[in-house]
Amino acid sequence: MTSTEPGYHRPAFPLFEAVFSDEVSEPRRWLSGWNGPITAPATDVTLAARGEGTAALVTSSPWAGVDEARVSGFLSLFAFRVPGLPDSTAELVRLAEDDGRWDAGTLDVDGRALPALTTTVGRVTIACCVNPTAGVGAAVAAMGAVALRRLVPVRGAAYPADPFVAHRYADLPPVDDIVG
C-alpha cells in the first residue's frame, strides 16, 4: 500500500496492548479502530483483546494531557454496552471531564506502576496514563484485571491486521464485538 492510499497508516508513537492475568489463556486480539487523516499516520489507535471472562480496549496516543485520554476511555464504554449510558456523545464527554468521577491510582505498564486516573462505570474500569517522560499515552477500558505492555513489531503478528503495517480499507478484516 502506498502512503497516499486511504486506509490505516501506522502511527509514529508507541502502541500498548492489554495483558491479562496468567489465569487467562492467550486472548483474541484485533485492531479495533483509529483516528486521523485517511492518508497519513493515525493520531490514535485502539487495540482490542478478549479472553475468557475478560475484555479490554486500549487506546494509544501522544496526548498532551490526561483530559483527552479520559474522554477516549469514556467513549470506549459504548463498545461494552454499559447500561444507563447517555445517548449523547456530548453528555458522555461531560461525564469524562467530571473530576469528581476519577481517583488517583496506578496502571501497570511494562511491569512498572505508573500514575494513572481511574474510574469504574458499571462493570468496566477505565484507567488513563499520560506520562510523556516514560513514553506512555494510553487509556484502557476493561472488564477484569488488566496491565499494559508496549507492543513490539514481532507481536504484531498476533493481530489479524498487524498494527505495524499499513492496510487498505478493503483489506481490513471485520472487527469483533468486544463483549462477544
Side-chain angles (χ1 to χ4, degrees):
M1 179 171 141
T2 67
S3 62
T4 59
E5 288 183 82
Y8 171 80
H9 294 270
R10 175 188 175 162
F13 50 85
L15 299 176
F16 294 88
E17 67 179 351
V19 179
F20 302 116
S21 71
D22 292 337
E23 298 172 7
V24 176
S25 61
E26 182 60 25
R28 172 146 165 56
R29 298 181 182 279
W30 66 96
L31 172 63
S32 181
W34 70 94
N35 287 304
I38 62 172
T39 58
T43 57
D44 67 63
V45 175
T46 301
L47 300 177
R50 186 178 66 221
E52 197 169 316
T54 189
L57 290 172
V58 180
T59 302
S60 305
S61 180
W63 291 302
V66 75
D67 291 344
E68 292 170 295
R70 289 173 13 170
V71 169
S72 179
F74 259 76
L75 292 175
S76 294
L77 292 173
F78 285 124
F80 288 94
R81 294 188 216 117
V82 174
L85 284 181
D87 294 332
S88 158
T89 300
E91 179 63 17
L92 199 63
V93 168
R94 189 191 67 70
L95 291 173
E97 292 172 341
D98 178 0
D99 292 337
R101 298 189 67 89
W102 295 91
D103 296 311
T106 60
L107 179 61
D108 180 332
V109 181
D110 292 330
R112 298 178 296 161
L114 294 179
L117 292 178
T118 63
T119 190
T120 300
V121 180
R123 59 192 175 140
V124 179
T125 298
I126 301 169
C128 302
C129 178
V130 177
N131 187 326
T133 305
V136 176
V140 57
M143 294 185 310
V146 66
L148 300 183
R149 71 177 163 211
R150 193 174 307 263
L151 184 63
V152 294
V154 71
R155 292 235 356 108
Y159 293 80
D162 185 334
F164 291 105
V165 176
H167 301 280
R168 287 186 300 267
Y169 286 121
D171 297 338
L172 288 165
V175 174
D176 274 357
D177 184 351
I178 193 68
V179 293

